[in-house]
Amino acid sequence: MSEFYFTSESVTEGHPDKVCDAISDAVLDTLLEQDPNSRVACETLATEGMVVVAGEITTEGFVDVERVVKDTLNDIGYNDFTDGMDQKTVKVISAIQEQSKEISQGVSQVSAEEQGAGDQGLMFGFACNETPELMPLPIQMAHRLTEKLTEVRKIGTLPWLRPDGKSQVSVKYVNGKPISISQVVIATQHDDMLNKFENEDEENAFVKSEVIEHIIIPILEHYGYPYEKGFIVNGTGRFVHGGPSADTGLTGRKIIVDTYGGYAPHGGGAFSGKDPSKVDRSATYMARYIAKNIVAAGIADKCEVQLSYGIGVADPTSVYVQSFGTAKISDEVLTELVKDIFPLKPGEIIAHLKLKFPRYRPTSAYGHFGRELDLFTWEKTDQVQAIKDHHLS
């Protein structure tokens, strides 16, 4: 019998890095709404009292960067300086320039079949049958915990919560299967409530009990696994000073949170602020789509897909599929199946997954995968029958 523990983390939309992801993706959505062919590579930095937006953009549309920044901050909940950022007074610096013509020439073909990749790189997709969404259990639970933190803050169940926060979930595996939850960690920003309590210990005890009751227990009960009750909530004590004023944020600094929580490889490229001509984003979405459909079809219990591309070249430089010994067919046959069924050229990926339209702001927090929303086309399992038919042919 083999036994191990695996841990993944998530962060809330108010985490400084996620604030930056949200702003970058909000800029992207604003431009795609006006011009679906917009080329966008938008980076954001947020620190105390200031947001800097920089990058390369080629578009027929227009974006009021300052308005996008302030609206995004307000939506997240940063509308008071004591929370970590005040959208009303924040200084916004925009440093946008046009995309390099050398990069543009390889991705601006009319034909989807001939459109080249916007850069070289390697991308991974993954799926497994540990959850209904075909995601690894640790990251899926971690996301739902941070999502719940935001939900109870915004609907007023725990109005003293502030936007910044994190979760961490450790899962015990036996023979490769999750059997129990060994630890849950939550760090959440909150109001200064010392005027209501005699000391910090009493304040901390209140925060811990409320977070356990309204956030941790409901998520654990939803998933139904046995769990240890020694939860860690704000392990260092008070967490009042948070957000970008406490910790500078940057776009693309939470790529493991965005994908599989370390359970599967990551190619290295970030997603937020990039239009779909960037294969860092679009091909990673396709790799997840492929892996998820294979597992959903019952061909394998676990599937990892790697794609790689060269700048300006339409065909992938490699396609690799592995099933960790869980498939009903060999990995070599599985790889050929993928090549036969799925569109793998960048232009074809964009068309098949309908990626030229606004949908990216919601991806900026709580995971790009494992959320079966209508706009998350890469989460659909609409190729299951094609995979089954190919397997039987």
Side-chain angles (χ1 to χ4, degrees), residues 44-58:
T44 303
L45 176 148
T47 189
E48 184 170 9
M50 180 186 296
V51 172
V52 179
V53 180
E56 295 75 47
I57 294 176
T58 301

Side-chain angles (χ1 to χ4, degrees), residues 100-111:
S100 161
K101 289 182 171 56
E102 283 83 1
I103 295 175
S104 179
Q105 66 186 357
V107 298
S108 298
Q109 306 294 336
V110 174
S111 168

